[in-house]
Amino acid sequence: ENKNLGITLVALVITIIILLILAGISISALTNTGIFEKAKDAKGKSENAEKQQSELLDSYEKELNKYTSEELTTANANVVLSETENVELHDANGYKIVVPAGFKVVVNDDTNNAMTVDKGIVIEDATSSATAGSQFVWIPVGTITKLDGTTVKINLDRYTFDGNGIPTAQGESAINSCFSETASRGNTVAKNITNFKNSVTTNGGYYIGRYEARTTTARNSGDDKLTQITEKGTDQVYNYVTQIQAASQAQNMYDNTHPFTSDLMNSYAWDTAITFIQKCTDKTNYANQNRLNTSFSSTGTTNDNPCNIFDMASNVYEWTTETSSYSDRPCVYRGGDSYYSYSYTSYRIGDNASFSLSDVGFRPLLYL
């Protein structure tokens, strides 16, 4: 029995040696034939094919828009196309804009006659009495062609920006181990961030207030009564407001009888607007632009308006629905401030829920 066992062990060792030799030969053969390099090449070709397919689909969608929606022209600008339904239009390059019910596209010298999405298309509330005259700017998401013929891609995401303004997508990750869009620590979060993202994907964009939130009555302290929010350039900046108050005002600017939703600015909307401006203007480092006015302006500034969007880098900090992980400073505001030269467009910082000063305001957004 011992003899048989010995023979079995020898056979096993020999078998293992043979397998190792064969494995070595196989690996050598695979390496010499360049199969790994071919696999890498195949992966690269697959990724390129996927990118080309995505671009092809975008071009098909652009062409389809030309036939399924009306083109924005001087004939249908400056008029309300529907008081009850959202209306799809496309610009001269075939990119979709969805005009909310009761709004009109404003094309005049004040909006730089913008009629293509890269220039910042402005819409105005023309039917709701309390908010009539309020203006918003369309932030396109997807691949667009600029007036000069170059193509840029704008992705909806939360971003951090380096010193040159180059963005890094962060998604739902905690930014700087501190800032989140979904968790609440006593602040007010977005109505439904999933609905917002789905809407942007479906409609190819969203709107942000053209200005910092406004009101017809100037505010002098945090004890002032809350008044109707507007987005009219001639009204007073809506300051002396807490994050919770700002969220309530923005989220209730338009109620559920409208076929669109209003909300307080979220981090996806803020950061994507920065990338839009950087890719569609010569302000390629707008993320790091600090104040362009050194004292608070009751009606905002006039020298900070890329793509028809005013004061993201200037005038007052703006509350958002983003959350800080610091329990005593859960409410996050963004942007530049006229009093502090160290703040800038992509700046984010948390503060407490009762914080309310002259240099803190907010901005609403709309999505379909």
Side-chain angles (χ1 to χ4, degrees):
E1 292 179 358
N2 290 338
K3 185 178 180 180
N4 291 338
L5 178 61
I7 293 172
T8 302
L9 289 174
V10 170
L12 179 61
V13 170
I14 292 172
T15 301
I16 292 172
I17 292 172
I18 292 172
L19 290 174
L20 288 173
I21 292 171
L22 291 173
I25 293 171
S26 298
I27 292 172
S28 176
L30 290 173
T31 304
N32 291 335
T33 57
I35 192 167
F36 292 122
E37 291 302 321
K38 290 178 180 177
K40 290 180 182 179
D41 183 56
K43 179 183 177 183
K45 289 181 178 178
S46 176
E47 291 175 347
N48 288 336
E50 185 176 345
K51 181 181 178 181
Q52 291 173 359
Q53 183 182 39
S54 176
E55 292 174 349
L56 185 62
L57 289 173
D58 285 342
S59 68
Y60 285 163
E61 182 177 7
K62 182 180 74 172
E63 287 300 315
L64 184 61
N65 284 337
K66 291 182 179 181
Y67 297 101
T68 59
S69 63
E70 186 178 355
E71 182 179 348
L72 173 62
T73 64
T74 54
N76 56 28
N78 303 312
V79 294
V80 177
L81 300 179
S82 174
E83 294 188 13
T84 58
E85 303 289 337
N86 301 330
V87 177
E88 281 190 19
L89 297 176
H90 63 264
D91 71 3
N93 293 318
Y95 297 104
K96 184 166 65 174
I97 315 110
V98 183
V99 183
F103 281 73
K104 62 183 180 181
V105 176
V106 181
V107 178
N108 56 27
D109 290 342
D110 179 57
T111 64
N112 300 309
N113 293 296
M115 294 182 66
T116 56
V117 295
D118 60 306
K119 295 300 180 183
I121 291 178
V122 177
I123 60 166
E124 180 176 303
D125 185 341
T127 57
S128 299
S129 58
T131 51
S134 294
Q135 295 185 339
F136 295 80
V137 179
W138 179 250
I139 309 297
V141 173
T143 302
I144 65 171
T145 301
K146 299 193 295 183
L147 191 62
D148 63 7
T150 59
T151 298
V152 296
K153 188 170 186 178
I154 301 161
N155 293 321
L156 180 73
D157 215 315
R158 299 171 70 229
Y159 292 95
T160 53
F161 300 85
D162 69 11
N164 296 313
I166 298 173
T168 298
Q170 301 293 337
E172 289 296 334
S173 300
I175 294 178
N176 298 330
S177 302
C178 182
F179 302 105
S180 169
E181 186 58 55
T182 54
S184 173
R185 292 178 178 270
N187 59 312
T188 301
V189 297
K191 279 184 177 179
N192 191 316
I193 198 67
T194 300
N195 285 353
F196 168 76
K197 291 191 286 187
N198 289 341
S199 169
V200 173
T201 299
T202 300
N203 297 292
Y206 60 97
Y207 289 98
I208 66 171
R210 190 181 185 194
Y211 312 98
E212 301 150 329
R214 303 296 176 87
T215 181
T216 56
T217 306
R219 298 180 61 77
N220 299 300
S221 80
D223 295 325
D224 288 350
K225 181 181 178 181
L226 296 180
T227 51
Q228 175 64 48
I229 176 181
T230 74
E231 273 293 321
K232 295 174 63 174
T234 54
D235 285 347
Q236 306 291 300
V237 171
Y238 207 126
N239 55 353
Y240 286 111
V241 60
T242 68
Q243 190 270 349
I244 294 172
Q245 291 171 331
S248 176
Q249 293 296 93
Q251 291 178 348
N252 292 299
M253 185 175 186
Y254 294 98
D255 60 29
N256 58 13
T257 63
H258 296 81
F260 53 85
T261 300
S262 63
D263 203 349
L264 180 62
M265 183 73 67
N266 62 60
S267 56
Y268 284 92
W270 185 272
D271 292 339
T272 303
I274 293 175
T275 63
F276 163 58
I277 289 169
Q278 291 190 160
K279 290 186 176 184
C280 292
T281 70
D282 60 355
K283 297 181 181 295
T284 56
N285 196 8
Y286 190 64
N288 294 301
Q289 176 66 60
N290 58 8
R291 62 185 183 178
L292 292 168
N293 58 329
T294 56
S295 61
F296 169 71
S297 174
S298 62
T299 56
T301 59
T302 57
N303 59 341
D304 182 13
N305 61 337
C307 295
N308 284 317
I309 304 166
F310 283 81
D311 289 325
M312 289 183 70
S314 306
N315 212 34
V316 300
Y317 292 128
E318 300 185 31
W319 288 124
T320 69
T321 59
E322 201 168 31
T323 303
S324 164
S325 63
Y326 296 108
S327 59
D328 60 334
R329 291 176 284 153
C331 307
V332 177
Y333 48 69
R334 304 293 303 274
D337 180 275
S338 59
Y339 296 142
Y340 302 104
S341 60
Y342 59 77
S343 58
Y344 46 90
T345 313
S346 60
Y347 183 69
R348 45 169 47 95
I349 191 170
D351 225 310
N352 63 62
S354 61
F355 191 70
S356 172
L357 289 177
S358 62
D359 63 332
V360 179
F362 64 102
R363 190 183 304 246
L365 62 83
L366 297 180
Y367 58 95
L368 294 308

